[in-house]
Amino acid sequence: DAKTTQPPSMDCAEGRAANLPCNHSTISGNEYVYWYRQIHSQGPQYIIHGLKNNETNEMASLIITEDRKSSTLILPHATLRDTAVYYCIVRVANNNDMRFGAGTRLTVKP
Amino acid sequence: DAGITQSPRYKITETGRQVTLMCHQTWSHSYMFWYRQDLGHGLRLIYYSAAADITDKGEVPDGYVVSRSKTENFPLTLESATRSQTSVYFCASNVASYNEQFFGPGTRLTVL
């Protein structure tokens, strides 16, 4: 019973920005939004996380709405290697039970 | 090599057999985790450990046993394997609970 809702699949053209949405309308004030991705058959890979403010790192940007009920992961210039399943997870920082949902399967096309 | 490794990578066993999956990390991370991923689904937490000799149940612990006598190792044992335990098992670790988790390459287990 993941606390997030994500579209099952999305396509993106190579070189364009990929915007992956996530709804978490029941998020609590002390819950963070985490993003991981899983490239075929590999272990998940951490991308980014945030609480309230927008965050950016070398891999992606995370935009969290002001009411915190949804967020968007942005891959600014998608490459074929970004084809993966992307998981949006909400959890309290010190809660070790990280619940993965079904995620969004992003396909980057040439 | 530094990192997190799992062994074996592939295992086929029969119903009722005992199977142990190994996980080893070289970072001295305090926390270690075991997840299972069934075909077409997300990961589910089986057990985790906050430090040596400290373990706790996750979402789906039934049928599994863990131990952590050393910080770097976190073996997962299926005492009597069942077909429903056919899955891909991932081990992970992190420095502290709020940090990102680093995942191993996975063990694909088939129970016949």
Side-chain angles (χ1 to χ4, degrees), chain A residues 34 36 38 44 91 93-94, chain B residues 37 42 90 97-98 100-101 103:
Chain A
Y34 286 77
Y36 282 76
Q38 186 174 25
R91 69 174 183 116
N94 61 357
Chain B
Q37 184 173 31
F90 289 100
S97 59
Y98 50 84
E100 64 190 274
Q101 291 185 16
F103 285 80

Side-chain angles (χ1 to χ4, degrees), chain A residues 1 34 36 38 41-46 49 87 91-102, chain B residues 9 31 33 35 37 41-43 45 48 58-59 90 94 97-105 108:
Chain A
D1 57 342
Y34 286 77
Y36 282 76
Q38 186 174 25
S41 297
Q42 298 180 18
Q45 175 191 24
Y46 166 84
H49 75 280
Y87 297 100
R91 69 174 183 116
V92 177
N94 61 357
N95 183 352
N96 291 293
D97 193 353
M98 196 160 61
R99 298 290 176 104
F100 288 77
Chain B
R9 295 293 314 280
Y31 287 81
F33 308 82
Y35 293 87
Q37 184 173 31
H41 292 84
L43 283 73
L45 182 65
Y48 67 94
E59 184 184 359
F90 289 100
N94 65 4
S97 59
Y98 50 84
N99 283 107
E100 64 190 274
Q101 291 185 16
F102 293 89
F103 285 80
R108 186 175 297 274

